[in-house]
Amino acid sequence: AVANGVARPTDRPNAWAAALDDPSPALTLRWKTRVRISRVVLVFDTDLDNPLFSVLTEHPERVLPCCIREYTIKDGTGRVLHHETSNHQTRDVARFTAPVETDCLHIEFSPPQPGIPAAVFEVQCYE
């Protein structure tokens, strides 16, 4: 569901979510042949269906509880391509220092908070 080009629920859920009790959630993408990738776009759950307050009133949550803040992208050999520790965005772009050729990406997530599963709406890979 993260690779179908739809980043929001439609007539069915369009997301990947880890098990609630998974202490080391991870998502693996595989291709039949090696592909060249230089950036990965991840779309996270930042509760967009919940209206935010205006600039006159502070939002009660300073950090959105469902948003994944830490993740690591590795290639098929386990080499770390990108490590993010302070994401707060719905759409985060991981840019590699040099393009990589791989047939697999392994993305490891730190759960956003206890009792909230890691969830991703979309993953896009570009050369």
Side-chain angles (χ1 to χ4, degrees):
V2 298
N4 66 6
V6 181
R8 295 320 261 156
T10 56
D11 59 333
R12 61 190 164 94
N14 280 302
W16 168 85
L20 190 59
D21 60 349
D22 189 347
S24 304
L27 175 65
T28 301
L29 304 172
R30 295 187 191 283
W31 292 268
K32 291 180 182 179
T33 61
R34 294 175 73 77
V35 294
R36 189 174 168 96
I37 301 171
S38 60
R39 66 185 163 109
V40 176
V41 177
L42 296 114
V43 179
F44 295 111
D45 181 5
T46 53
D47 201 13
L48 292 178
D49 55 344
N50 186 10
L52 296 176
F53 294 92
S54 74
V55 295
L56 301 174
T57 307
E58 281 193 15
H59 196 279
E61 298 166 329
R62 301 302 293 157
V63 175
L64 294 172
C66 297
C67 184
I68 293 174
R69 286 176 286 288
E70 185 173 359
Y71 65 91
T72 303
I73 301 174
K74 298 178 179 180
D75 68 7
T77 66
R79 178 175 54 136
V80 174
L81 304 172
H82 181 81
H83 181 75
E84 178 62 51
T85 59
S86 59
N87 176 57
H88 63 277
Q89 302 180 86
T90 301
R91 183 180 181 276
D92 195 41
V93 180
R95 298 181 198 285
F96 305 154
T97 54
V100 297
E101 288 191 20
T102 186
D103 62 352
C104 172
L105 282 183
H106 186 70
I107 310 171
E108 300 171 351
F109 304 99
S110 292
Q113 288 189 15
I116 298 177
V120 178
F121 286 124
E122 187 173 29
V123 178
Q124 302 168 347
C125 301
Y126 298 98
E127 182 174 359

